[in-house]
Every structure is written in structure tokens, then in C-alpha cells.
Amino acid sequence: LSELEALMERMKRLQEDKEDEEASQEEMATRFENEKKESLLVISGGICTFPVPVSFDDEMVSTDVSRYVEDPGFGYKDFARRGEEHLPTFRAQDYTWENHGFSLVNRLYSDIGHLLDEKFRMVYNLTYNTMATHEDVDTTMLRRALFNYVHCMYGIRYDDYDYGEVNQLLERSLKVYIKTVTCYPERTTKRMYDSYWRQFKHSEKVHVNLLLMEARMQAELLYALRAITRHLT
């Protein structure tokens, strides 16, 4: 099967499995923990720590971004150290954007919550119902996997989501791309962009980038707004 056909087959099989039997809460929690731990190994200093189908040994963009920030050492750091047994988890149902963050940010800055919420929803729901040359395809499952994987990298877990879907739908080269774009955007190369979903249209892959950026922004807001809420109470 081609990459595209294999992906569509996995989506179909996951949908059928979901209709036949749902995973238990314990199983879903275990799958989240496994995915969260693996995400810490995806990239270390811009180097992939496990073999992937495509070589990413081309030179990274040499742009010096330090002149744009006051602290040249400022940058992304994994939310937990590798090797730790019990990694911290942000349970989404305890503090969600819809039920908590949205109202707080509106209190702090009038109407900004509505603008952010509209932006999140627009990007998440954007679809042509296509996958490359296939039309009338429901891409909800794939979009949710992309969004939730970013949140998983930040330690955020949704109890109603089966993270086994992430492992089935997002191949390793795509996970490398996701973490690079989300955490080290200055290291992203065209070769990495070209390496995944080769049969997909550019507009579809650009939508992936939009999803990743909005998911990252929402994750950062959730942590910041939860801290503010705790301070106020």
C-alpha cells in the first residue's frame, strides 16, 4: 500500500475498533503515559534519537535568532527529564480552555477570549474533506490526533481520548516534524517538510502547521491561566 492508502486503512480500522469495543480508562491512561514518554525521546537538541525512514542530516537553518530576544539562551525545554519514572500530567478535565481559560482570559483582557476561541475553532475545524486525491473523507480523527499529540508533548491528557490513535496515525517521521515545528521551529527544514505525507497537497500540509501552532498556543495558555487562577484563589 502507498503511504496514503495505508493511512486511510488505519483510520478505517480504528473507527471500526472504536465502534466494536472501547478501551478501558486504565488502558487509555497507559497509552497516554507511553506516548508522553516517547515524545521526550523524539528530538534531543534537534537530533532524532531513534531511526526514521528518512535521513534528516541536512544542515539546519543557520539563522541567528538570538538577536531578536533579550535572553539568547531562552528556548523550549521538555516538561520533564528523561528517565524520570513519574512524569507530571496536566489533566485537561481539571482545567479546560472552554470551561476555565476562556472566561479568565476575558476577565483579564476584554473580548480577547472570543477572538482566541474563534481562532482555535476555525483552525481545528478547517477541512476540505479530502486526503490528497481522495474526496469526501472525514478527517476529524486525524486532526484530533495531531492536536492532542502536541498537548501530549506538553503533558496534557484528555481522559476521553485513546492515545493509541496517535501511535497508529502519526508515523515517526511526522512526529519528528511535529516536535521540531512546535518546539524548535528555527530548525525546521524543507527536507523534513517533504519527508512526510508525500502524496498530500501543500494546502493540507500547511493546515498541519496551523494545527500545530494553535495547539501549542492553547497548551501554553492553559498552563499560564491555570497558574493565574491558583494565584487568584
Side-chain angles (χ1 to χ4, degrees), residues 17-202:
D17 292 344
K18 186 183 296 186
E19 293 171 357
D20 292 340
E21 183 180 359
E22 289 190 4
S24 67
Q25 282 295 316
E26 184 178 353
E27 287 174 321
M28 292 200 291
T30 300
R31 290 170 185 174
F32 169 77
E33 290 299 323
N34 291 338
E35 202 64 49
K36 181 173 64 173
K37 289 176 181 177
E38 185 198 273
S39 74
L40 296 176
L41 302 175
V42 169
I43 284 196
S44 177
I47 301 174
C48 181
T49 56
F50 49 70
V52 292
V54 179
S55 172
F56 294 148
D57 58 358
D58 51 319
E59 293 184 6
M60 297 298 181
V61 179
S62 60
T63 305
D64 179 14
V65 297
S66 63
R67 64 178 181 274
Y68 298 114
V69 295
E70 294 181 5
D71 179 6
F74 181 81
Y76 171 83
K77 290 184 179 180
D78 283 317
F79 69 93
R81 295 177 182 175
R82 274 182 281 167
E84 288 185 7
E85 283 297 318
H86 303 289
L87 303 180
T89 295
F90 184 135
R91 298 184 69 207
Q93 68 271 22
D94 295 337
Y95 198 94
T96 66
W97 166 254
E98 292 81 5
N99 298 330
H100 306 91
F102 173 79
S103 57
L104 175 59
V105 80
N106 261 345
R107 279 173 51 199
L108 300 173
Y109 192 157
S110 181
D111 292 332
I112 193 65
H114 294 287
L115 297 174
L116 288 171
D117 191 62
E118 182 181 1
K119 186 161 70 85
F120 292 146
R121 291 178 185 275
M122 180 184 297
V123 170
Y124 188 87
N125 294 322
L126 181 65
T127 180
Y128 300 131
N129 293 312
T130 63
M131 285 179 62
T133 57
H134 294 264
E135 298 182 350
D136 298 321
V137 180
D138 184 356
T139 61
T140 303
M141 180 182 290
L142 192 54
R143 284 180 279 129
R144 190 176 186 191
L146 289 164
F147 197 92
N148 284 4
Y149 181 62
V150 174
H151 279 203
C152 178
M153 290 193 306
Y154 281 82
I156 299 174
R157 180 195 168 200
Y158 295 88
D159 283 354
D160 62 345
Y161 182 69
D162 183 356
Y163 287 85
E165 294 184 11
V166 168
N167 208 35
Q168 289 289 315
L169 298 175
L170 309 183
E171 70 273 13
R172 285 181 170 183
S173 60
L174 178 53
K175 286 181 178 178
V176 171
Y177 180 78
I178 289 171
K179 189 160 187 181
T180 305
V181 169
T182 306
C183 306
Y184 313 99
E186 74 280 3
R187 298 176 182 173
T188 309
T189 66
K190 187 176 184 300
R191 190 172 182 178
M192 295 174 72
Y193 171 85
D194 291 336
S195 72
Y196 78 96
W197 289 0
R198 297 172 184 83
Q199 296 165 297
F200 281 66
K201 301 173 185 175
H202 286 300

